[in-house]
Amino acid sequence: MKKQETYSISQLSSELDISTRTIRYYEERGLLHPTRSPGGTRRYTKADRARLKLILRGKRFGFSLDEIKEMLDLFYEDRLGVKQLERTIEYGVEKIKQVEKQIEELTVLRDELLSFKEAFEARLWELKRSNTENEGN
C-alpha cells in the first residue's frame, strides 16, 4: 500500500487538531507553502506536514512565529542544519531564562498566598474561639 503523497487542509486540521484557519494563517505568514491543485485546492506534502508539526511544537514551547520561521528557514540555507541548530539553541537558552524567571515569580506568589492563607486560618480560628468563649458567658 502506497503512503499518501499529499494532504488536504482538512486532513491536516483533523490529524493535528488545529483549525483550518490556523493553517491558512501560517501560510499567510510564510511558514507554509502548499501547492495548489488545478482547481485551486491547497495540497500539502509530507514535508509541509512535518514543517507544520515543528511549527506547533515551537508554539507549544512559547516561541513566536517569527522565531519559528527563522529557525525553519535556516535549514534551507544550510542543509547540514548547523545554522538552524545554532539559532535554535540561542532561542532555547533565552526561553529557558524566561521560564526560570516565571518559576521564580510564581514561587514568590505561591509563598505569599500560603502566608496569607495561614494568617487567614489563624484569624478564623481566633474568631471561632472568641465566639465560643462569648457564647459560654
Side-chain angles (χ1 to χ4, degrees):
M1 185 165 112
K2 188 175 179 183
K3 270 208 162 201
Q4 185 170 346
E5 296 298 319
T6 63
Y7 305 85
S8 70
I9 193 169
S10 59
Q11 286 172 315
L12 287 180
S13 170
S14 176
E15 177 186 341
L16 300 175
D17 197 27
I18 58 173
S19 71
T20 56
R21 176 68 195 114
T22 298
I23 298 171
R24 285 191 296 273
Y25 179 68
Y26 294 158
E27 181 184 350
E28 289 169 16
R29 294 290 304 266
L31 287 127
L32 294 172
H33 308 284
T35 59
R36 299 281 181 156
S37 71
T41 303
R42 290 172 174 87
R43 298 305 302 173
Y44 297 88
T45 63
K46 291 178 195 175
D48 292 324
R49 182 176 165 271
R51 190 171 169 103
L52 183 53
K53 285 182 165 186
L54 289 172
I55 293 166
L56 296 174
R57 181 181 298 155
K59 289 300 295 172
R60 190 177 79 239
F61 288 143
F63 293 110
S64 72
L65 289 179
D66 289 335
E67 291 168 334
I68 294 167
K69 183 176 185 326
E70 180 184 357
M71 289 184 280
L72 292 173
D73 288 349
L74 281 172
F75 181 73
Y76 296 104
E77 289 180 27
D78 170 19
R79 286 300 213 174
L80 290 176
V82 172
K83 289 180 182 179
Q84 182 187 43
L85 286 173
E86 288 173 342
R87 192 64 179 136
T88 301
I89 290 168
E90 288 174 22
Y91 279 139
V93 167
E94 286 303 310
K95 190 56 63 184
I96 289 167
K97 288 178 185 175
Q98 290 173 6
V99 168
E100 287 173 345
K101 185 174 189 301
Q102 288 175 319
I103 289 170
E104 287 176 26
E105 291 171 354
L106 288 170
T107 299
V108 168
L109 178 61
R110 182 201 62 208
D111 292 346
E112 288 177 12
L113 285 169
L114 285 170
S115 178
F116 276 118
K117 177 185 157 284
E118 289 169 5
F120 292 157
E121 288 172 339
R123 177 70 177 135
L124 179 61
W125 183 83
E126 183 61 34
L127 287 171
K128 286 182 176 181
R129 187 179 62 80
S130 176
N131 189 34
T132 303
E133 289 176 0
N134 288 339
E135 286 177 358
N137 290 334

